[in-house]
Each structure stands twice: as C-alpha cells, then as structure tokens.
Amino acid sequence: MHTNARLAPIPNRLRWLVPGLALLLAAGCATVATAPVAAPDHAAALAQLEQGQAQEAAQRLEALALAAKGTPRNALLADAAFAWHEAGDDTRARSLLAQLDPRRLTGASRARLSLLNAELALAAQQPGQVQAALVGDPASLAAPLQARWHVAAATAHEAAGDAPGAASARARAEAGLQGEARDQNRRAIERLLSTLDNATLAARAAALPAGDPLYNFAARALVRRGLPLPRPFDQGQAWNFDQRPPGASDGYRPPRRLAVLLPLSGQLATAAAPVRDGLLAGYYGENRQRPEVVFYDTAGTPAGAVAAYARAVSEGSDFVVGPLGRDEVTAVYRESALNVPGLALNRASVAPPPGHAMFSLAPEDDGLAAADYLLAREHRQVLVLAGQDENGRRAAEAFASRLAERGGKVAATVTVSEQPANLAAQLAQATAAGADSVFLAVRGPQARALAPQLALAGFAARTRVGTSQLTSGTGKAEEDVVLDGIVFPAEAWSSRGAAGLPQASLAAAALPTARGPAARLFAFGYDAWRISAYLERLATRADGELRGATGDLRLDGFGNVVRQPAWATFSGGVPVPLAR
C-alpha cells in the first residue's frame, strides 16, 4: 500500500453517514482506552503506601474518596481499603469494601482489590474463595505484591490438593521475594514437588515450556533423584562462553586466564594447600590447550578475598576459582560489580549472582546427601544423633530441612557430647516414635561409643547413615569393627578412580596433601579445575554431568554445583566402597 496515495472523495449519497461514523469511532475509542492515570494526590498517596507509610496513605486515600465521585471514587476506596489492610486494620478495610462497586475498577486498583480479597479469605481460613477473588492482572502491581498474589494462589491450590499448581504459583512468586521469604518459598516448592512420584515429576517437568519459572525447581528435583533431565536447566543470560577458545567434542572448553583465589597464608593455609595441589594435578593431567593459571592470596579474610578478586579482574582473568572461606565468598558476592564469572569454593550466606556458581564440601552437603539417600530407600522417620560441634550441628540442620521438604520427619534428635552418655531412654523414645533409620552427624570416636547402644536399642538392623566426618578419628580395624554397616558419603576417587589422576593410594604415597583427611580437599581442588574447564557443558546440556573425584557433579539452575557422592561403609572395621 502506497502511503502517499490520495483518498477518494466521499460520494454525496454517503455524506450523511459521516457524523454518525464519527460518533461510533469515538465510542469505540472509549471502550479500548486504557485506565486513566491517577490524579496527582492519588498517586502521591500510593507512593506513601509503597514507602511503607500504610496508615498515612490509608487516611489520605479515604479523605480523597470522600470528595470524589464515580470511577475515581471507587478506585480511591479500593486503594484505601488495601492500605488499611497493609496497616493491619482489616475491620476498616472491610467497611470500605462495602462502599465500592468492584465492576468499575480497572488496572492496578482492581488488582490490589483482588489481592486484598484473597488475603482476607485466607485470614478467614477460606482458601476456596481465593481463586474467585484473584481477578485482574497481577503484572500491574509492584514485584512484592505480585509475589503475594502468587503465594495466595499457591495456598489455595495446595488446600485443594493441587501440589503441581501450588508449586507453579510459588515459582512465579520467586522474582518478587528476597532473603528469608525467598528461602522459605523455595523450601515450600521443594516440599510440594516431593509429593510427586518419579514418573509424574518427570512428565510435569517435560511439559513445562522454556523459561517457565518452575522448570529449574523440577529439574533440580529430578537431579536429586538421579533421574535424567528432559532439557538443560534454564540459565537465562547467566553464562557467556564467547570469550573462551572453541570447545572440544567432550565439552572441554577452559577459560583463557584462570585466577585461583586461595588463603595461601593465614589460618586457612593448611586447608588451601591440598586444594591447590589437587587443582594443579588436574591442570597438568590435561594434555590439550590449557589456560594461564595465576594464584592470588586472600590471607583468609573477607577484605583479602575482595581485594584478590579485584586484582584478578584488573590483570585480565576471565574466570575465577575461589575464594575458599565461607565469609570470604559472602564478602565477594556482596560486591556490586562482579563482571568476571567464577566458581566459589564454599557456600555463601547470600545467593550467587548471575554468572557465578558455588561448589562446596560443607557439612550441609553431607546432611542433604544423607537425607536423599534415606528417602530414596523409603526411610521417612529418622533418629538424628548430632555432635555438639559446628559441623555436626550444620549437617543435622540441613538433613532435617531436606527430610521435611520431601515429606519425611525427624522422629527424635539427640545431641551427643564428645564422650557420649547412656542414651537408652532417648533411644527407647525414638523407637516408640517410629524411627526406621538413623542419621549420625558425629565423628568416628563418638560413633564407636554409640554403635553398641544403637544395637541394644534395636537399630543395628536398620539403615544407619553418617557424614564424611565418620572416618575422622578412625584407622584401627580392631576398634572400628563396631562401625560395620554404617553408610557414609565418600570420594569417588578412592572407589572408581578419576580421569587424569593416579590411584588414590599412589597419590597418597607421593604427596602429603593427598593423604589422610587432606585427600578429600585434594579431590575437591581437582574437581574445581574440571568444573572450570567443562562449565559450558555443565550449564548448557541436559546430560551435562561430570564424573569427578568427589562424586558426580551437575550445575543446577540456581548457581549451585550439585554433588552426588560415592557411598562407602565399614566392613571388618575397614571402609569399603558400596556398589552404585
């Protein structure tokens, strides 16, 4: 169509239609016009509400409503009612609701009214009314209110027995949540997905479209159950590998300049040495093109880690491994500019930023792995025996959280001292509570003292799972024979080997940093190298798994390296691998 073509003149017989057409066009435009922009005073009151001045905003909105008529009055009354709800006065909110006509509301005012009605229904323990209340478009609301909208919908779905619908709604709330509220929401999603059997979970995950906020949660649940993914995790714009050399057929695609941030001095230097040597063993075991590797000393302090990261970036590194300390990782993640991606070697107290991942051997990981092990074997009533040290406490807390998320229950928790006392009464109570298995978050000497008591209480024939700390303080078969049958997470390196590494026994004979308790950190450093070199494969492929020295490794959609450890048990007082 030519844009410069002339319009044909209107025939005389049609001229009488022109006024009517104009009126019809005007009426048509009126029906599709967007909601009017709030008057300045109305907008100012809503700004007060967003700034947390709920009572002041409610009073102002109600006063404006008294002087208004028609549609503006309805919008002001609805927003005033919502503001009173935010101020904690639901009685006043309900009185204003009785004065308005919800049919005359549009846009954000209609959505706020919907959210108010939904939350009032929940407060009245009437979840069945929530779905009918949630009309309008939640996208017209600010992100925190959108999150509340979806959480309300999730509560209604769950009350109706629709776990997948509840999980989906909570996943949509994720973007508007922060801090503990987000953590609680994630735990709720995992709990809901745990109610699905393997076939249902796999089918639901496969049916989710690309970009659906529930997919990464469902995919992570599949990984934890050892099930295949229908497609890779949705990583969005988190990772960019354009600056790396072309990849090999097996997915090997290392960075060009690798910075390694470790506490080479200070209190953590002893732990850093085996990590460093394991990383270098993997590095020199690779015959293909390797990046330049530069080590930076963090001195084991948060300030040192932040300074080391900044220096690594300024000197041209395109990938960063480390730091190692928990406080160090948190300090780096709290920096506003993290332009170079990295792999932290511990868990932070904050979520990893986009383009960053966390890999750890933290006590929490042992707790999570133990819970998954027991749940996979249908053990859902567990007696927890936890040491008083930080490792025991953290492992037990993570275990209990994962168990609850997936529908299990801690039958009893007993805190164990370094010299365990007589626990006959507590063990009898655990038996009465239906405990069908035991989790031991204790060291070897404590477990040796507990094993006979567990046997007397009838737990010797039940599944007993420990943490990797179980081997600490062991080594004499004649003493450790009482630990026979207790299962614990172990390094895959010692049971099946690791590509590019000698046998664990040979490495231990040659290197002090590869023997005894240090061997675990040596394997950890080796896997850190492998993850950095195969990161694209981990991030972009549905089968992106690495058989590492510490276990089978995957990258989930939340910046965490998920590790499936190998499992071992004591037999004749000696640790031996368990068949997969």
CSV table of all heavy atoms in Angstrom, one decimal, residues 378-413:
chain,number,residue,atom,x,y,z
A,378,GLU,N,13.0,-45.1,51.0
A,378,GLU,CA,11.7,-45.1,51.7
A,378,GLU,C,11.8,-45.0,53.2
A,378,GLU,O,10.9,-45.5,53.9
A,378,GLU,CB,10.8,-46.3,51.3
A,378,GLU,CG,10.5,-46.3,49.8
A,378,GLU,CD,9.8,-45.0,49.3
A,378,GLU,OE1,9.0,-44.5,50.1
A,378,GLU,OE2,10.0,-44.6,48.2
A,379,HIS,N,12.9,-44.5,53.7
A,379,HIS,CA,13.0,-44.2,55.2
A,379,HIS,C,12.6,-42.8,55.4
A,379,HIS,O,13.3,-41.9,55.0
A,379,HIS,CB,14.4,-44.5,55.6
A,379,HIS,CG,14.9,-45.9,55.5
A,379,HIS,ND1,14.2,-47.0,56.1
A,379,HIS,CD2,15.9,-46.5,54.8
A,379,HIS,CE1,14.9,-48.1,55.7
A,379,HIS,NE2,15.9,-47.8,55.0
A,380,ARG,N,11.5,-42.6,56.2
A,380,ARG,CA,11.0,-41.3,56.4
A,380,ARG,C,10.8,-40.9,57.9
A,380,ARG,O,10.3,-39.8,58.2
A,380,ARG,CB,9.6,-41.2,55.7
A,380,ARG,CG,9.8,-41.3,54.2
A,380,ARG,CD,8.5,-41.2,53.4
A,380,ARG,NE,8.7,-41.3,52.0
A,380,ARG,CZ,9.0,-40.3,51.2
A,380,ARG,NH1,9.2,-39.1,51.7
A,380,ARG,NH2,9.2,-40.6,49.9
A,381,GLN,N,11.2,-41.8,58.8
A,381,GLN,CA,11.1,-41.5,60.2
A,381,GLN,C,12.5,-41.7,60.8
A,381,GLN,O,12.9,-42.9,61.0
A,381,GLN,CB,10.1,-42.4,60.9
A,381,GLN,CG,8.7,-42.2,60.4
A,381,GLN,CD,8.0,-41.0,61.0
A,381,GLN,OE1,8.4,-40.5,62.1
A,381,GLN,NE2,7.0,-40.5,60.4
A,382,VAL,N,13.3,-40.7,61.0
A,382,VAL,CA,14.7,-40.8,61.2
A,382,VAL,C,15.1,-40.3,62.6
A,382,VAL,O,14.7,-39.2,63.0
A,382,VAL,CB,15.5,-40.1,60.2
A,382,VAL,CG1,17.0,-40.4,60.3
A,382,VAL,CG2,15.0,-40.4,58.8
A,383,LEU,N,15.9,-41.1,63.3
A,383,LEU,CA,16.5,-40.7,64.5
A,383,LEU,C,17.8,-40.0,64.2
A,383,LEU,O,18.7,-40.5,63.4
A,383,LEU,CB,16.9,-41.9,65.4
A,383,LEU,CG,17.9,-41.7,66.5
A,383,LEU,CD1,17.3,-40.7,67.6
A,383,LEU,CD2,18.2,-43.0,67.2
A,384,VAL,N,18.0,-38.8,64.7
A,384,VAL,CA,19.2,-38.0,64.4
A,384,VAL,C,20.1,-37.9,65.6
A,384,VAL,O,19.6,-37.5,66.7
A,384,VAL,CB,18.8,-36.5,63.9
A,384,VAL,CG1,20.1,-35.7,63.7
A,384,VAL,CG2,18.0,-36.6,62.6
A,385,LEU,N,21.3,-38.3,65.5
A,385,LEU,CA,22.3,-38.2,66.6
A,385,LEU,C,23.4,-37.2,66.1
A,385,LEU,O,24.1,-37.5,65.1
A,385,LEU,CB,23.0,-39.5,66.9
A,385,LEU,CG,22.0,-40.7,67.3
A,385,LEU,CD1,22.7,-42.0,67.4
A,385,LEU,CD2,21.4,-40.3,68.6
A,386,ALA,N,23.5,-36.0,66.7
A,386,ALA,CA,24.3,-35.0,66.2
A,386,ALA,C,25.3,-34.5,67.3
A,386,ALA,O,25.0,-34.4,68.4
A,386,ALA,CB,23.5,-33.8,65.8
A,387,GLY,N,26.6,-34.3,66.8
A,387,GLY,CA,27.6,-33.8,67.7
A,387,GLY,C,27.3,-32.4,68.1
A,387,GLY,O,26.6,-31.6,67.5
A,388,GLN,N,28.0,-31.9,69.1
A,388,GLN,CA,27.9,-30.5,69.6
A,388,GLN,C,28.7,-29.5,68.8
A,388,GLN,O,28.5,-28.3,69.0
A,388,GLN,CB,28.2,-30.5,71.1
A,388,GLN,CG,27.3,-31.3,72.0
A,388,GLN,CD,27.8,-31.3,73.4
A,388,GLN,OE1,29.0,-31.2,73.7
A,388,GLN,NE2,26.8,-31.3,74.4
A,389,ASP,N,29.6,-30.0,68.0
A,389,ASP,CA,30.5,-29.1,67.2
A,389,ASP,C,29.7,-28.5,66.0
A,389,ASP,O,28.6,-28.9,65.7
A,389,ASP,CB,31.7,-29.9,66.7
A,389,ASP,CG,31.2,-31.0,65.8
A,389,ASP,OD1,30.4,-31.9,66.2
A,389,ASP,OD2,31.7,-31.1,64.6
A,390,GLU,N,30.3,-27.5,65.4
A,390,GLU,CA,29.6,-26.8,64.3
A,390,GLU,C,29.3,-27.7,63.1
A,390,GLU,O,28.2,-27.6,62.5
A,390,GLU,CB,30.4,-25.6,63.8
A,390,GLU,CG,29.7,-24.8,62.8
A,390,GLU,CD,30.6,-23.6,62.3
A,390,GLU,OE1,31.7,-23.5,62.7
A,390,GLU,OE2,30.1,-22.9,61.4
A,391,ASN,N,30.2,-28.6,62.8
A,391,ASN,CA,30.0,-29.5,61.7
A,391,ASN,C,28.8,-30.4,61.9
A,391,ASN,O,27.9,-30.5,61.0
A,391,ASN,CB,31.2,-30.4,61.4
A,391,ASN,CG,32.3,-29.6,60.7
A,391,ASN,OD1,32.1,-28.6,60.2
A,391,ASN,ND2,33.5,-30.1,60.8
A,392,GLY,N,28.7,-30.9,63.1
A,392,GLY,CA,27.5,-31.8,63.4
A,392,GLY,C,26.2,-31.0,63.4
A,392,GLY,O,25.2,-31.5,62.9
A,393,ARG,N,26.3,-29.8,64.0
A,393,ARG,CA,25.0,-29.0,64.0
A,393,ARG,C,24.6,-28.6,62.6
A,393,ARG,O,23.4,-28.8,62.3
A,393,ARG,CB,25.3,-27.7,64.8
A,393,ARG,CG,24.1,-26.8,64.9
A,393,ARG,CD,24.4,-25.5,65.7
A,393,ARG,NE,25.6,-24.9,65.1
A,393,ARG,CZ,25.6,-24.1,64.0
A,393,ARG,NH1,24.5,-23.9,63.3
A,393,ARG,NH2,26.7,-23.5,63.6
A,394,ARG,N,25.5,-28.2,61.8
A,394,ARG,CA,25.1,-27.7,60.4
A,394,ARG,C,24.6,-28.9,59.6
A,394,ARG,O,23.6,-28.8,58.8
A,394,ARG,CB,26.3,-27.0,59.7
A,394,ARG,CG,26.6,-25.6,60.3
A,394,ARG,CD,27.9,-25.1,59.9
A,394,ARG,NE,28.1,-25.0,58.4
A,394,ARG,CZ,29.2,-24.7,57.8
A,394,ARG,NH1,30.3,-24.4,58.6
A,394,ARG,NH2,29.3,-24.6,56.5
A,395,ALA,N,25.3,-30.1,59.7
A,395,ALA,CA,24.8,-31.2,58.9
A,395,ALA,C,23.5,-31.7,59.4
A,395,ALA,O,22.6,-32.0,58.5
A,395,ALA,CB,25.8,-32.4,59.1
A,396,ALA,N,23.2,-31.7,60.7
A,396,ALA,CA,21.9,-32.1,61.2
A,396,ALA,C,20.8,-31.2,60.8
A,396,ALA,O,19.7,-31.6,60.4
A,396,ALA,CB,22.0,-32.2,62.7
A,397,GLU,N,21.1,-29.9,60.8
A,397,GLU,CA,20.0,-28.9,60.4
A,397,GLU,C,19.7,-29.1,58.9
A,397,GLU,O,18.5,-29.0,58.5
A,397,GLU,CB,20.5,-27.5,60.7
A,397,GLU,CG,20.6,-27.1,62.2
A,397,GLU,CD,21.1,-25.8,62.4
A,397,GLU,OE1,21.6,-25.1,61.5
A,397,GLU,OE2,21.1,-25.3,63.6
A,398,ALA,N,20.7,-29.2,58.1
A,398,ALA,CA,20.4,-29.4,56.6
A,398,ALA,C,19.7,-30.7,56.4
A,398,ALA,O,18.8,-30.8,55.6
A,398,ALA,CB,21.8,-29.4,55.9
A,399,PHE,N,20.1,-31.7,57.1
A,399,PHE,CA,19.4,-33.0,57.0
A,399,PHE,C,17.9,-32.9,57.3
A,399,PHE,O,17.0,-33.4,56.6
A,399,PHE,CB,20.1,-34.1,57.9
A,399,PHE,CG,19.4,-35.4,57.9
A,399,PHE,CD1,19.7,-36.4,57.0
A,399,PHE,CD2,18.4,-35.7,58.9
A,399,PHE,CE1,19.1,-37.6,57.0
A,399,PHE,CE2,17.8,-36.9,58.9
A,399,PHE,CZ,18.1,-37.9,58.0
A,400,ALA,N,17.6,-32.3,58.5
A,400,ALA,CA,16.2,-32.2,58.9
A,400,ALA,C,15.4,-31.3,57.9
A,400,ALA,O,14.3,-31.7,57.6
A,400,ALA,CB,16.2,-31.5,60.3
A,401,SER,N,16.0,-30.3,57.4
A,401,SER,CA,15.3,-29.4,56.4
A,401,SER,C,15.0,-30.2,55.2
A,401,SER,O,13.8,-30.2,54.7
A,401,SER,CB,16.2,-28.2,56.1
A,401,SER,OG,15.6,-27.4,55.1
A,402,ARG,N,16.0,-30.9,54.6
A,402,ARG,CA,15.7,-31.7,53.4
A,402,ARG,C,14.7,-32.8,53.6
A,402,ARG,O,13.8,-33.0,52.8
A,402,ARG,CB,17.0,-32.3,52.9
A,402,ARG,CG,16.9,-33.2,51.7
A,402,ARG,CD,16.3,-32.6,50.4
A,402,ARG,NE,17.1,-31.5,50.0
A,402,ARG,CZ,18.2,-31.6,49.2
A,402,ARG,NH1,18.6,-32.8,48.8
A,402,ARG,NH2,18.9,-30.6,48.8
A,403,LEU,N,14.8,-33.5,54.8
A,403,LEU,CA,13.9,-34.5,55.1
A,403,LEU,C,12.4,-34.0,55.1
A,403,LEU,O,11.5,-34.6,54.6
A,403,LEU,CB,14.2,-35.2,56.4
A,403,LEU,CG,13.6,-36.5,56.7
A,403,LEU,CD1,14.2,-37.6,55.8
A,403,LEU,CD2,13.9,-36.9,58.2
A,404,ALA,N,12.2,-32.9,55.8
A,404,ALA,CA,10.9,-32.3,55.9
A,404,ALA,C,10.4,-31.8,54.5
A,404,ALA,O,9.2,-32.0,54.2
A,404,ALA,CB,10.9,-31.1,56.8
A,405,GLU,N,11.3,-31.3,53.7
A,405,GLU,CA,10.9,-30.8,52.3
A,405,GLU,C,10.3,-31.9,51.5
A,405,GLU,O,9.4,-31.7,50.7
A,405,GLU,CB,12.1,-30.2,51.6
A,405,GLU,CG,12.5,-28.8,52.2
A,405,GLU,CD,13.9,-28.4,51.6
A,405,GLU,OE1,14.4,-29.2,50.8
A,405,GLU,OE2,14.4,-27.4,52.1
A,406,ARG,N,10.8,-33.1,51.7
A,406,ARG,CA,10.4,-34.3,50.9
A,406,ARG,C,9.5,-35.2,51.6
A,406,ARG,O,9.4,-36.4,51.2
A,406,ARG,CB,11.7,-35.0,50.4
A,406,ARG,CG,12.5,-34.1,49.4
A,406,ARG,CD,13.6,-34.9,48.7
A,406,ARG,NE,13.1,-36.1,48.0
A,406,ARG,CZ,13.8,-37.1,47.5
A,406,ARG,NH1,15.1,-37.0,47.6
A,406,ARG,NH2,13.2,-38.1,46.9
A,407,GLY,N,8.8,-34.7,52.6
A,407,GLY,CA,7.8,-35.5,53.3
A,407,GLY,C,8.2,-36.4,54.4
A,407,GLY,O,7.4,-37.2,54.9
A,408,GLY,N,9.5,-36.4,54.8
A,408,GLY,CA,10.0,-37.2,55.9
A,408,GLY,C,9.8,-36.5,57.2
A,408,GLY,O,9.3,-35.3,57.3
A,409,LYS,N,10.3,-37.1,58.3
A,409,LYS,CA,10.2,-36.5,59.6
A,409,LYS,C,11.3,-37.0,60.5
A,409,LYS,O,11.7,-38.2,60.4
A,409,LYS,CB,8.8,-36.9,60.2
A,409,LYS,CG,8.5,-36.3,61.6
A,409,LYS,CD,7.2,-36.8,62.1
A,409,LYS,CE,6.9,-36.3,63.5
A,409,LYS,NZ,5.6,-36.7,64.0
A,410,VAL,N,11.8,-36.1,61.3
A,410,VAL,CA,12.8,-36.4,62.3
A,410,VAL,C,12.0,-37.0,63.5
A,410,VAL,O,11.3,-36.2,64.2
A,410,VAL,CB,13.7,-35.2,62.7
A,410,VAL,CG1,14.6,-35.6,63.9
A,410,VAL,CG2,14.5,-34.8,61.5
A,411,ALA,N,12.2,-38.2,63.8
A,411,ALA,CA,11.5,-38.9,64.9
A,411,ALA,C,12.0,-38.4,66.2
A,411,ALA,O,11.2,-38.2,67.2
A,411,ALA,CB,11.6,-40.4,64.8
A,412,ALA,N,13.3,-38.1,66.3
A,412,ALA,CA,13.9,-37.6,67.5
A,412,ALA,C,15.3,-37.1,67.2
A,412,ALA,O,15.9,-37.6,66.3
A,412,ALA,CB,14.0,-38.7,68.6
A,413,THR,N,15.7,-36.1,67.9
A,413,THR,CA,17.1,-35.6,67.8
A,413,THR,C,17.8,-35.6,69.1
A,413,THR,O,17.3,-35.2,70.1
A,413,THR,CB,17.1,-34.1,67.3
A,413,THR,OG1,16.4,-34.0,66.0
A,413,THR,CG2,18.5,-33.6,67.1
